[in-house]
Amino acid sequence: MLSLHGLRALDRKLVRDLVRIWPQALAIALVLASGVATLILAIGAYRSLEETRRLYYAEYGFADVFASATRAPAALESRIAELPGVAIAEARITRHAILDLEGVTEPVTGLLQSLPDRARPLLNRPHIRLGRLPEAGAISEVAVNVAFADAHGLRIGDGFDAILNGKKRRLTIVGAVLSPEHIYAIGPGDLMPDYRRFAILWMSRTTLESVFDLDGAFDAVSLKLEPGAREAEVIARVDQLLSRYGGTGAYGRADQISHAFLDAELKQLAALARIIPPVFLLVSAFLLNMTLLRLIALEREQIGLIKALGYANAAIAAHYLKLVGVITVVGIAIGFALGTLFGQSLTRLYGKFFQFPFLVFEHDGDLYVVAATLTLAAAVAGALRAISTALALPPAVAMSPPAPQRYAHLPGEASALAAHLSQMTVMSLRNMVRFPMRSAMTGLGLSLSVGLLIVSLFAFDAVEAMIDATFFGSQRQDATLNFRDEQPVRITTDVSHLPGVLRVEPFRHVAARIRNGQISRRLTLTGRPDDTLLTRQLDLALAPVAVPETGILINRRLAEVLGVERGSLVELDILDGRRGTRMVRISDIIESYIGLVALMRMDQLNRLLEEGPVVSGVHIAYDRDREAALFRAIKATPRIASIEQQRHALSRFRATLAENIDMMTSIYIGLAVVVAFGVVYNSTRIQLSERARDLASLRVLGFHRREVSRVLFTELTLLALIAQPLGWIIGHWLAWLTIQSFSSDLYTTPFVINTATYAKASLVTIAATVASALTVHQRIAALDLVAVLKTRE
Amino acid sequence: MAEVVFQARGLTKVYRTGAVEVRALDGLDLDLFAGELVVLLGPSGSGKSTLLNILGGLDRATDGLCRFRDIDLVRLDDRGLTEFRRRYVGFVFQFYNLIPSLTARENVALVTEISEHPMRPEEALDLVGLSARADHFPAELSGGEQQRVAIARAIAKRPDVLLCDEPTGALDSHTGIRVLEAITAVNRELGTTTAIITHNAAIKDIAHRFCRFADGRIVETTSNQKRLAPAEVSW
Ligand SMILES: Nc1ncnc2c1ncn2[C@@H]1O[C@H](COP(=O)(O)OP(=O)(O)O)[C@@H](O)[C@H]1O
Ligand SMILES: [Mg+2]
């Protein structure tokens, strides 16, 4: 029992009021808590992730600019370092290689990176989790990324084979490390990290120099810029220096895969924080308003009395504000707790998904202060209008009973249809029209709940549509083989003789920069023959189209970024070597959700590059039953630098995505249910309180409990039905906003919402509505018929 | 001798609130006969409403016997009592208890829709002299008019019994008379067994019989040799 002793009279009333309406107060507090929690969750995870990344980058010297070449003389390193704006330049060797692990049939693609021999790296320093880095000149020592070691259960001292420059070598693991360059380590052509099939290997520079015949040379360089340096200018100078040595165009962090993926994720979190919490704040403001209005209506006599006793308006306003304050503070407290908890699990989930050596949980007070202030402001805004009605009551009026509620005939009541309505239905309809604001807000609350569910569920639809278009529409190959260097076209015949290979389609890749005026993007320009079956180009309606004889095809995202359309001319800089700039015409826009795509006919591209018929790699389809034999053969083919396994990538993609979407979806569904339940519960409780007398009268007249409930629930059912289409519209719109925030140069998401998703959202909301209505239905049984009838309204 | 409609023997109702125990009815005996109009008198708190509520199936006795014809009211559960009220009982209360969102006619129709042999709502309103106000909402009617709508609603299903708890309690004398006239008209024309609670002793003269309550029992039962019309009663 609460001890009310020592409280001032009005405060004692406050405590009793709260005890009496606690379920309603709690429902409101939970909706408020949802708003606070989503805000803290999203912004908290955003800040934690950003701060973790910032610290990691700073402590481990993540570079600002990256460049690669075919073979640049070692002396060039210091010339790059002396360029204006460059603080540090560090040359290295990076190559792809196929790895062969005991007991693993599929070939693993490894990215080899050299470590300087004289000192520890200046840039992109690995964080040593276990063991140590390879010693200078050690031929067989290798450090591997932790995730790869974990995926295969590899330990220090274990070994595996690698096909280096065509020769199989035995490497021994001396360390397991993490690197700021590979927070999100994704293999060539993959959509999701797959640590079983993609590895990062660190080896001594001298070892790699001798293995790849690069003595006194390097093929990659990382730069740290001076503060205030202009990245674009540095990139232009580096490109100039490297162009003679097969430079493929330097790029900044924005084009660095790991960094870009993290950025996309951060952008999504920021969008989450902008889109979702306002919905909750709106709903809770409305709930507070509705509940307070009813409380004040019930207490008008008390308010009159209190005023007559000489309390000032300010005291009465303060009294109700305190009530709102208590509910809000409870909501904020629950929201803080949930937000912090969810925020940490989300950050941890990111910690699993992204490879960090440590996680910084940001719990800055200011975030909590902002969340609390916003929430209080919304709550007070909702309460003020209600409180002003209490203040407007003159003491004398407040002491006399309110005039009986005035009702009116409904428009169209005289119609034949209306004549068939039962009096119970007429009661519901008239009541709905009598309180249009409350009906509208209850309906809107339910609509918002439907909307929230649609945003949380449609992600599955969008991803399935993306998978469908990508893996079943345009990238239907089972695997892609990338060669070490350009190979003559006849290599396709060799590949077609590998065991199990059913079809081989060559392609040509070249690094390029595409430009329209000020806007430019770095990408891989693809050349394809015109008769491909495995890889296809899809037009905007997702129908296959041919690669035109002249001009290029670009995907929708790239067209939007460049601001060009079909028929526009764009500049194309080929970055491989010194091949200069050309104008090309965009012959059509195609749909591709992954990355930035620019495509042309392979023969035309080779002509453009002034090369004969050469290929960079091949897409293959193979017989699944002979996969093991094929993989063995691939491991033994020195010209293959890396393999992309689309077939395996797909299942991996689905699994990883499901894991991520699942968590967010469960949180969202929980929140949407809270909204639906809170709105319906409060609105029906208020109705029950207002109409207790009517309902008791009906019971006295001999109506059964179920019949009486129907009066309340006819109205609720109608509102819930009307709320559905509006909810679908809101959901559609929220989903569209979300899609916008999910789109980046790395991937875009198709805007697809299945009919089933609308249906599911409606079902969940209706279930929450029914559940909430049932709890109120119980109370109709408890109506004290006699007591109600003895009292005046 | 007319048929006994209600029979109560040793009827006891005890309210317990915490440690306090109130014997609202304390071994009450009563018979109500078909077609008669009975007035129940007595000081406030003497148990009149409690008795009426038990007879009408709104409440259940703690002990004793209470039969409506051959239905044992003490044995009925909530469903049974609801069904009982629906079929046999019409109530009129001090505070009318009309549904504010329904017009006079609709308030009556509410009941006729769920009854087996109802009269038309218009007919019922006519009986209480309110046909002209059929399409008005309660908020548009005076207190006396509202109470007459309540009576029309109570009798429209041709109930076997009409139970009125202080039907004139909230009305001035002139209006009260109109209401009592409506009740006696129903009793006379439909033969509905009627019980009226009042604390206005003068009203006893319109009844066939009146019973006086004290401390949860009936202490006096008198048959009127000569009945007065409501208009003749001085208030
Ligand atoms: N629900 C209840 N709880 C407790 N006591 C009650 C309740 N209803 C009536 N009483 C008590 O029972 C007694 C009889 O009440 P009631 O039948 O209403 O009297 P009357 O109608 O004759 O004025 C009174 O003392 C009253 O206080
Ligand atoms: Mg009474």
Side-chain angles (χ1 to χ4, degrees):
Chain A
M1 188 68 209
L2 271 170
S3 168
L4 304 183
H5 193 74
L7 280 182
R8 296 190 18 232
L10 269 184
D11 290 337
R12 247 177 272 166
K13 171 178 170 323
L14 175 73
V15 174
R16 297 213 174 97
D17 282 349
L18 278 169
V19 170
R20 194 161 43 82
I21 63 164
W22 76 264
Q24 276 171 274
L26 181 64
I28 299 173
L30 284 180
V31 179
L32 281 166
S34 305
V36 176
T38 36
L39 203 65
I40 304 244
L41 157 82
I43 298 187
Y46 178 92
R47 287 189 179 176
S48 301
L49 207 55
E50 194 179 45
E51 183 59 12
T52 303
R53 182 175 79 169
R54 194 190 64 77
L55 276 177
Y56 192 16
Y57 281 0
E59 273 180 43
Y60 291 87
F62 182 55
D64 294 316
V65 169
F66 305 80
S68 40
T70 320
R71 183 195 179 96
L76 206 64
E77 181 179 3
S78 51
R79 284 187 56 200
I80 293 175
E82 283 156 16
L83 287 175
V86 175
I88 304 171
E90 187 169 52
R92 60 179 171 175
I93 293 168
T94 65
R95 285 290 171 110
H96 280 105
I98 299 270
L99 313 181
D100 187 5
L101 277 73
E102 280 98 44
V104 181
T105 33
E106 64 257 57
V108 175
T109 295
L111 173 64
L112 290 157
Q113 298 194 312
S114 71
L115 292 165
D117 283 329
R118 245 147 279 136
R120 63 177 202 145
L122 300 171
L123 298 175
N124 309 319
R125 279 186 295 280
H127 164 89
I128 301 168
R129 171 67 59 80
L130 281 174
R132 56 174 175 83
L133 294 179
E135 272 175 17
I139 299 177
S140 67
E141 287 186 0
V142 65
V144 301
N145 58 324
V146 170
F148 168 67
D150 288 349
H152 288 284
L154 293 171
R155 277 180 295 194
I156 308 293
D158 288 350
F160 55 84
D161 291 331
I163 294 97
L164 302 181
N165 207 17
K167 274 196 223 97
K168 189 174 264 197
R169 282 170 196 258
R170 186 78 188 164
L171 302 179
T172 305
I173 298 173
V174 296
V177 306
L178 296 154
S179 155
E181 270 186 290
H182 304 292
I183 296 173
Y184 188 88
I186 188 166
D190 272 345
L191 297 178
M192 283 279 168
D194 182 351
Y195 300 116
R196 277 187 62 78
R197 296 192 189 83
F198 180 62
I200 300 149
L201 314 176
W202 285 263
M203 292 180 72
S204 144
R205 166 102 178 248
T206 32
T207 305
L208 288 182
E209 277 182 14
S210 68
V211 165
F212 289 106
D213 306 321
L214 282 168
D215 298 292
F218 64 88
D219 66 5
V221 61
S222 312
L223 312 181
K224 179 101 224 141
L225 300 189
E226 277 166 354
R230 279 177 206 235
E231 190 185 281
E233 287 173 13
V234 174
I235 286 178
R237 292 200 180 95
V238 171
D239 282 351
Q240 213 174 1
L241 281 181
L242 284 178
S243 62
R244 291 177 48 205
Y245 306 103
T248 54
Y251 54 92
R253 286 181 175 183
D255 285 321
Q256 203 266 349
I257 288 282
S258 161
H259 181 89
F261 266 97
L262 241 117
D263 255 6
E265 203 62 44
L266 286 168
K267 205 173 128 207
Q268 288 178 25
L269 278 176
L272 181 68
R274 269 197 312 272
I275 298 173
I276 306 299
V279 173
F280 289 102
L281 293 185
L282 184 71
V283 172
S284 32
F286 138 66
L287 286 180
L288 274 170
N289 175 271
M290 190 165 85
T291 308
L292 218 52
L293 270 178
R294 178 56 194 161
L295 198 64
I296 288 168
L298 281 176
E299 293 182 344
R300 43 186 283 128
E301 296 184 24
Q302 299 176 43
I303 296 168
L305 180 74
I306 292 168
K307 282 190 183 178
L309 289 177
Y311 279 93
N313 266 344
I316 290 168
H319 171 68
Y320 287 107
L321 277 176
K322 272 188 211 163
L323 185 83
V324 172
V326 171
I327 296 176
T328 312
V329 165
V330 170
I332 290 174
I334 299 176
F336 278 179
L338 287 183
T340 309
L341 206 72
F342 288 160
Q344 287 189 2
S345 18
L346 185 61
T347 309
R348 262 192 220 102
L349 184 76
Y350 281 131
K352 269 204 289 181
F353 194 53
F354 297 112
Q355 303 288 309
F356 288 111
F358 51 80
L359 279 178
V360 184
F361 292 105
E362 274 292 314
H363 298 300
D364 274 0
D366 67 322
L367 169 58
Y368 291 78
V369 171
V370 168
T373 313
L374 276 178
T375 311
L376 262 176
V380 169
L384 277 185
R385 202 174 65 95
I387 291 177
S388 68
T389 65
L391 300 187
L393 287 173
V397 168
M399 295 291 286
S400 62
Q405 284 294 350
R406 287 195 168 272
Y407 285 84
H409 293 281
L410 299 173
E413 246 182 25
S415 71
L417 181 71
H420 293 288
L421 297 179
S422 78
Q423 303 309 323
M424 311 281 268
T425 312
V426 172
M427 276 175 80
S428 303
L429 291 179
R430 290 215 182 113
N431 205 59
M432 227 168 91
V433 175
R434 177 69 184 74
F435 298 101
M437 195 59 190
R438 185 169 65 209
S439 304
M441 291 311 280
T442 306
L444 184 64
L446 287 173
S447 301
L448 286 172
S449 164
V450 174
L452 271 181
L453 281 162
I454 291 177
V455 218
S456 53
L457 293 172
F458 96 101
F460 294 103
D461 302 345
V463 167
E464 274 310 316
M466 173 173 162
I467 286 177
D468 215 46
T470 306
F471 288 102
F472 299 99
S474 67
Q475 300 191 24
R476 309 189 302 168
Q477 70 274 29
D478 292 329
T480 301
L481 308 177
N482 298 301
F483 302 129
R484 280 197 292 135
D485 308 293
E486 275 68 53
Q487 301 287 337
V489 137
R490 66 186 135 74
I491 193 171
T492 54
T493 322
D494 299 347
V495 173
S496 68
H497 291 139
L498 292 176
V501 171
L502 303 172
R503 189 173 170 87
V504 183
E505 291 177 359
F507 63 85
R508 176 82 166 98
H509 274 169
V510 65
R513 185 171 285 122
I514 191 163
R515 187 191 318 275
N516 178 36
Q518 291 300 306
I519 314 161
S520 74
R521 284 291 184 278
R522 190 179 179 277
L523 46 71
T524 300
L525 176 61
T526 303
R528 262 183 209 168
D530 59 350
D531 57 349
T532 58
L533 281 179
L534 298 178
T535 56
R536 297 188 305 185
Q537 309 66 240
L538 305 179
D539 66 14
L540 295 179
L542 301 181
V545 289
V547 190
E549 232 160 285
T550 61
I552 62 172
L553 295 174
I554 66 172
N555 69 335
R556 185 208 292 264
R557 170 75 188 183
L558 183 56
E560 283 167 4
V561 167
L562 295 177
V564 295
E565 49 196 45
R566 178 188 189 147
S568 304
L569 281 171
V570 290
E571 279 175 63
L572 196 61
D573 303 341
I574 303 295
L575 297 173
D576 254 1
R578 291 164 296 168
R579 279 144 172 173
T581 299
R582 288 155 190 85
M583 299 298 287
V584 288
R585 188 171 299 283
I586 293 170
S587 52
D588 214 344
I589 313 284
I590 57 171
E591 192 66 278
S592 169
Y593 302 118
I594 317 276
L596 301 177
V597 176
L599 266 175
M600 62 200 297
R601 282 273 276 271
M602 194 163 82
D603 47 6
Q604 197 206 348
L605 178 56
N606 278 331
R607 234 183 344 266
L608 201 78
L609 298 171
E610 291 158 16
E611 282 178 356
V614 293
V615 305
S616 312
V618 290
H619 302 298
I620 58 172
Y622 59 80
D623 179 355
R624 274 147 220 236
D625 293 338
R626 302 186 63 192
E627 189 178 79
L630 173 64
F631 284 167
R632 262 196 306 279
I634 287 172
K635 287 174 189 170
T637 306
R639 280 178 296 182
I640 299 172
S642 69
I643 173 167
E644 303 164 17
Q645 297 166 56
Q646 276 81 7
R647 179 186 296 171
H648 296 294
L650 174 57
S651 52
R652 172 78 194 162
F653 180 64
R654 276 212 171 101
T656 313
L657 221 78
E659 195 180 315
N660 292 337
I661 299 182
D662 271 358
M663 169 171 166
M664 287 316 284
T665 307
S666 340
I667 293 180
Y668 272 77
I669 290 178
L671 296 178
V673 167
V674 165
V675 170
F677 197 90
V679 168
V680 172
Y681 184 76
N682 267 280
S683 150
T684 8
R685 276 309 294 270
I686 287 169
Q687 293 245 29
L688 184 63
S689 144
E690 277 178 355
R691 301 170 72 187
R693 194 179 182 76
D694 287 9
L695 303 180
S697 294
L698 291 174
R699 293 280 284 133
V700 169
L701 292 175
F703 286 89
H704 289 286
R705 201 196 306 164
R706 203 165 341 114
E707 295 170 314
V708 170
S709 297
R710 229 185 52 205
V711 179
L712 276 192
F713 300 147
T714 304
E715 195 175 327
L716 190 59
T717 308
L718 275 173
L719 286 178
L721 288 182
I722 297 172
Q724 301 310 316
L726 181 62
W728 298 332
I729 294 171
I730 293 176
H732 187 90
W733 177 70
L734 286 177
W736 186 83
L737 276 185
T738 311
I739 282 286
Q740 299 313 304
S741 75
F742 273 35
S743 295
S744 68
D745 286 355
L746 296 167
Y747 49 87
T748 54
T749 316
F751 184 39
V752 173
I753 308 176
N754 294 345
T755 319
T757 296
Y758 289 108
K760 274 185 221 156
S762 289
L763 274 180
V764 172
T765 306
I766 289 171
T769 305
V770 169
S772 165
L774 284 181
T775 64
V776 175
H777 174 75
Q778 297 305 318
R779 299 197 156 251
I780 290 180
L783 278 181
D784 185 344
L785 304 185
V786 177
V788 169
L789 297 172
K790 270 184 188 165
T791 53
R792 225 170 37 173
E793 167 73 334
Chain B
M1 189 76 199
E3 176 206 4
V4 175
V5 178
F6 278 112
Q7 186 183 42
R9 291 291 175 275
L11 201 60
T12 303
K13 176 72 183 181
V14 180
Y15 290 110
R16 271 191 199 84
T17 25
V20 193
E21 198 175 88
V22 179
R23 296 184 87 77
L25 294 180
D26 192 6
L28 175 143
D29 299 331
L30 176 70
D31 288 320
L32 285 186
F33 300 101
E36 74 169 337
L37 192 156
V38 175
V39 162
L40 307 178
L41 284 174
S44 178
S46 57
K48 305 181 297 290
S49 297
T50 305
L51 173 68
L52 210 70
N53 292 339
I54 291 174
L55 294 181
L58 284 177
D59 208 348
R60 218 177 268 116
T62 316
D63 203 1
L65 176 119
C66 183
R67 302 178 74 82
F68 169 81
R69 305 219 171 95
D70 44 11
I71 301 171
D72 183 354
L73 293 183
V74 185
R75 289 258 188 89
L76 291 183
D77 61 1
D78 185 69
R79 270 198 81 75
L81 285 177
T82 304
E83 204 54 43
F84 166 67
R85 293 196 299 269
R86 187 167 181 148
R87 283 181 160 224
Y88 303 110
V89 188
F91 280 106
V92 176
F93 295 96
Q94 181 178 359
F95 300 113
Y96 334 131
N97 296 312
L98 297 179
I99 305 292
S101 53
L102 298 180
T103 62
R105 187 205 315 276
E106 290 163 345
N107 261 284
V108 179
L110 190 61
V111 171
T112 57
E113 276 172 7
I114 59 164
S115 332
E116 280 169 21
H117 308 290
M119 52 183 94
R120 286 182 301 109
E122 292 74 17
E123 218 177 310
L125 286 170
D126 200 29
L127 209 57
V128 297
L130 268 186
S131 348
R133 315 286 265 165
D135 289 322
H136 290 251
F137 284 98
E140 300 160 349
L141 298 171
S142 73
E145 287 170 335
Q146 288 186 54
Q147 190 61 300
R148 276 143 71 201
V149 175
I151 294 169
R153 186 178 67 180
I155 53 100
K157 65 180 174 194
R158 305 178 200 275
D160 291 52
V161 293
L162 178 62
L163 305 176
C164 313
D165 193 344
E166 310 225 14
T168 59
L171 303 173
D172 61 68
S173 62
H174 177 72
T175 323
I177 286 167
R178 299 290 306 271
V179 167
L180 290 177
E181 278 172 342
I183 294 173
T184 49
V186 168
N187 172 254
R188 186 174 58 245
E189 283 162 36
L190 302 179
T192 314
T193 308
T194 305
I196 305 173
I197 292 181
T198 178
H199 55 252
N200 184 344
I203 291 176
K204 70 181 190 305
D205 295 335
I206 69 167
H208 295 107
R209 274 199 306 160
F210 66 88
C211 304
R212 205 178 286 281
F213 275 64
D215 298 328
R217 280 183 223 181
I218 293 171
V219 292
E220 178 202 340
T221 304
T222 309
S223 294
N224 282 324
Q225 300 310 319
K226 179 172 170 278
R227 287 175 71 199
L228 295 182
E232 297 168 298
V233 173
S234 58
W235 221 262

